[in-house]
Amino acid sequence: MRRQVLLASLLTLAVTPAAASAATITESVPLPGGVTEPSFAVPYPGSSDVLVADWATDKIWRLPSTPFAGNGNEVGPLGDGGAPLSASLASPSAMAFRRDGGLLVADTDHHRIRLIKGGVVTTVAGSGEDDGGGDGGPATDADLLHPTGVAVLPDGESFLIADSANHRIRRVDGDTGLIQTIAGNGTDAEVDGPPLAASFSFPQALAVSANGKKLYVVDRVGRTLRKIHLDSNGDVATLAGPASGDTTPANPWDHVPPTGTFAHDDSALTAGFSPMGLLVLADDSFIVFDAGNDRVRRIKNGDVETIVGTGVRGDGPDGLDALATDLNSPVGGYVNADKDLVVVDAGNRKLRTIKGLQLPSVVKDPPAKVDQLPAEPVTPPAEPLLPVPLAPVPAPQMGKSVGVKPGSGVVRFRRAGGRSFTLLTEGASVPVGSVLDTREGSVTLSSATGGGKVQSASFSNGMFEVRQKPGSAVTDLHLRGTLTGCPKASSKPTARAAGKKRPTRRLWGDGKGKFRTHGSSAVATVRGTKWLTEDRCDGTLVKVQRGVVDVTPVRGGKTVKVRAGGQRFVRQRRAR
């Protein structure tokens, strides 16, 4: 039985509702039969369509009725580099559009954030491991654990992640692709204070204020709404909650919080919540989707009021005052083009539209360039969809060309003699002398060894130039990139310099064959292994995780075999 996971909540648009008594639910649209447990919905830019994530079937739908992403097989190959309908998703939850039109998806049970852009799916955060490490490095190397929320920052490219089961909020820089924890010490608790000392209990959903200076967080198990200052070192503060009435902690693996936490509508700090999502409003008030209490509520100036729902779990009916309509686990919502509030009524598998709230202002995500997204829905295939076959890539030629195929993350390449890098989106043949940039991803490299034979290995987390001499079966990979910030040879070490992080350039390799990685001070010759070559200011480190590597100093010296679990550092020797 598959483990149930957290449902994510919505953060996309913001509105300022009027009195709830003027609002009526005029329409409820049943979701397509293929949607089992909707977790999130977001308007599709430039049309009246809506994207709905379904955590139970591992798919995203484009309403009215078209599959958009996910092949329904959570345990199959990820499908990075392929079409959205061929990709594997595992409990997709939150979604957010970047300014360039790319759609970020919290792929919760794959422990990754995926990007759908230009008809191609890639991983932009998460290694698939789940121990919470990776701060300061590429986001694709970081370990996420059931990420459920994602929010795009005002620059349109950087984004925040609710790293839920690691109890942290993390930021990915849009320019560098590096990840950093901005709040949460990793412990499961509800403690306010300085961001990195504060603690969270399964942060579920994220929303950024209209001015981009504050982040609001739904803390799932603690049933609270928290605030983080993004432009200062202000403390994390609780704005609403904790739960009143039934104070039994919510089970983070239940898709809906337990009922019985509602206390009253008045002071937000004592009202009692079981929230799953929120919308931040233009005046910094909020709409909270209180799934466990079957209500939609508004918080303003520290007070809370119910604007939709009776608090009784049920289904409608439509056409009544919003306060007389039963809901069943509202998990999120959005504002449509008519400025009406649309609620994802998850338990009823419906989208309910509430008119009459008088929504004069809307805070939107960064505008998407819709021309980079599929213009029209794709007709669902009658048979299981297979990846579209690409044009055959020419076989590698010894000393002339190699084959490269992107793996996870983002890979760029610069052809030999070229001046600029190009995004690698599919398998290609590139000439020897080309430079591959895998600092944000991984690539499979294939080269000819003679006699019609080909060798392949995977390389990641570095930049390197490919070389191969005519007639030689050995493929050489030379680390590229500048080591900035190294002290001058004549300078004396200081305590301040010793405390700084050492600049490095590195490359991971994984595979068998006649490959050599070249650092500034040492060469690593592969014997079938997984290994790291890392240049530092004072030399080159070779570390072996699996197999055996021969390490040879560049400027003369003895070759040493390094076995699994071992490493060798070759100190830089300057030419005389």
Side-chain angles (χ1 to χ4, degrees), residues 97-99 104 150-161 170-178 208 366:
F97 279 101
R98 302 194 314 187
R99 179 171 293 146
L104 295 169
V150 62
V152 176
L153 289 168
D155 67 8
E157 298 295 324
S158 302
F159 59 93
L160 300 172
I161 303 169
R170 306 177 83 174
R171 182 185 188 275
V172 176
D173 186 272
D175 292 327
T176 66
L178 301 180
V208 178

Side-chain angles (χ1 to χ4, degrees), residues 78 88-93 105-114 147:
L78 284 176
S88 171
L89 301 176
S91 304
S93 46
V105 179
D107 193 0
T108 301
D109 269 7
H110 277 152
H111 313 297
R112 289 174 164 92
I113 303 298
R114 313 288 290 280

